[in-house]
Amino acid sequence: MSEKEQKLETQDVNEINETDQSAASDVVAEEIQEDIATDGVETVDLAEDAEAIDAFFDQAKAEASSPIAGINQATYNQLTKRNQQFLFDIDRYLIDEMPYEVRTKVYEEMVETLLAGQLSSQTARQIYGTPSEVAVTILEQEIKADEEAVTSPDWMIALDGSLFLGSVFTFLTGLSMMNAEEGQATYMGVLTIIVNYLFAGLAMLMISKVIPNPDAPKGERGYLRYFLVSILAMLVWFVAITASSVWLPASINPAFSGEVYMIIAAATFILRYYLKKRLNIQSDLF
């Protein structure tokens, strides 16, 4: 091949390479433009989403920026300055004494009352009194509610009922023995006394499980069930006492004088009072 022919062939190859490179460059350029366009759309969408999120949190922050627990700013702003200060003063007393959720419920009710009072130009002090008095009252009511909500274990309720009801029956038995004529007294031996206290506790425990709920809907308050269970519990108690008195021989179930029964009754009643305070026994019965 001559030198001239070689130059022509080299020139043709270079032209073909340049053409391929140009085509490839055009394809890459088109892809880049598409990517830029796509990225631009996504950037705009992300920016719009970010603005919406920021606006949402700004609104939530504004609504929750009230200094009073559970009261949003919009509602708080409806109160007069004096009423706002009144709630703020109360919260200073309660913030370390009551959890946030409990204070929220208290303040929601108070704000509703204060807003209604503002319509007739009533101030917080006219409605409730001083902030310190209100705070003390709220704390006392909360403590009382907590105590009433707590129910003691079954064994405590049975023990308390045993000592209470058992001591009452023992006292009445001793009294009847002291006032009865010779040969007419009903005697209760030492084992019968034990049976008396045991079944008295069982009866009280049974009754405590079916205490009626007066706040329940009509027909679901449980008065009939309470009535039936109470009769059954008392019946079991009296049958147990009578059976032990009749069936247990006097050799293992000796009787005491009426004075001894009254002393036993007084001692167990005092013990019941002491244990109720000592153990903080909570019951819906008494």
Side-chain angles (χ1 to χ4, degrees):
M1 181 182 291
S2 65
E3 181 178 354
K4 183 176 181 181
E5 290 175 345
Q6 290 178 351
K7 287 182 179 179
L8 289 173
E9 185 178 352
T10 302
Q11 183 177 1
D12 292 339
V13 170
N14 290 336
E15 288 178 355
I16 292 172
N17 290 337
E18 289 177 358
T19 302
D20 292 341
Q21 290 176 357
S22 177
S25 298
D26 292 340
V27 172
V28 172
E30 290 177 1
E31 292 178 351
I32 292 174
Q33 289 177 353
E34 291 178 358
D35 290 341
I36 291 173
T38 303
D39 289 342
V41 172
E42 292 179 355
T43 302
V44 171
D45 290 341
L46 290 175
E48 291 178 353
D49 291 343
E51 291 178 358
I53 293 172
D54 290 339
F56 172 79
F57 281 110
D58 289 341
Q59 182 180 0
K61 183 178 179 182
E63 291 179 350
S65 60
S66 167
I68 304 302
I71 307 301
N72 61 47
Q73 188 65 48
T75 303
Y76 183 74
N77 289 339
Q78 297 178 32
L79 296 170
T80 63
K81 295 298 182 181
R82 288 186 177 182
N83 287 347
Q84 290 177 0
Q85 184 63 43
F86 183 84
L87 287 177
F88 184 77
D89 291 341
I90 293 176
D91 195 54
R92 286 192 305 170
Y93 288 104
L94 301 182
I95 192 168
D96 295 328
E97 304 294 336
M98 296 176 64
Y100 181 90
E101 294 78 9
V102 179
R103 286 186 289 126
T104 295
K105 294 180 180 180
V106 172
Y107 297 149
E108 286 177 350
E109 182 178 345
M110 292 186 66
V111 166
E112 183 178 350
T113 302
L114 291 174
L115 290 175
Q118 286 179 184
L119 299 177
S120 57
S121 301
Q122 286 184 301
T123 65
R125 287 179 177 268
Q126 291 173 336
I127 298 173
Y128 290 110
T130 65
S132 59
E133 292 173 346
V134 175
V136 170
T137 301
I138 291 173
L139 287 174
E140 290 177 349
Q141 291 177 346
E142 182 63 22
I143 292 173
K144 183 178 180 181
D146 290 342
E147 290 178 349
E148 292 177 350
V150 175
T151 302
S152 298
D154 288 350
W155 71 269
M156 287 189 181
I157 296 176
L159 175 62
D160 185 59
S162 171
L163 296 175
F164 176 76
L165 195 60
S167 63
V168 171
F169 187 82
T170 303
F171 177 82
L172 295 176
T173 300
L175 185 62
S176 66
M177 291 173 63
M178 291 178 61
N179 296 330
E181 297 180 0
E182 187 70 22
Q184 295 182 354
T186 302
Y187 293 94
M188 184 169 63
V190 61
L191 293 182
T192 302
I193 293 178
I194 297 174
V195 170
N196 163 47
Y197 281 97
L198 289 177
F199 277 84
L202 178 61
M204 290 294 98
L205 180 60
M206 291 174 60
I207 295 173
S208 70
K209 297 296 184 180
V210 292
I211 297 296
N213 180 13
D215 297 326
K218 188 176 181 180
E220 300 179 9
R221 297 172 184 175
Y223 287 108
L224 179 59
R225 181 179 59 178
Y226 174 75
F227 179 72
L228 294 176
V229 171
S230 297
I231 292 178
L232 177 62
M234 294 296 104
L235 182 61
V236 171
W237 176 41
F238 283 115
V239 168
I241 294 174
T242 303
S244 64
S245 299
V246 173
W247 294 341
L248 294 177
S251 58
I252 61 173
N253 189 29
F256 299 130
S257 64
E259 291 82 357
V260 173
Y261 289 112
M262 296 187 70
I263 293 173
I264 293 174
T268 53
F269 190 82
I270 294 173
L271 178 62
R272 181 255 178 180
Y273 178 82
Y274 170 78
L275 292 177
K276 189 174 182 67
K277 295 293 184 182
R278 178 72 175 179
L279 301 177
N280 191 29
I281 300 176
Q282 303 295 327
S283 173
D284 294 331
L285 289 173
F286 38 75

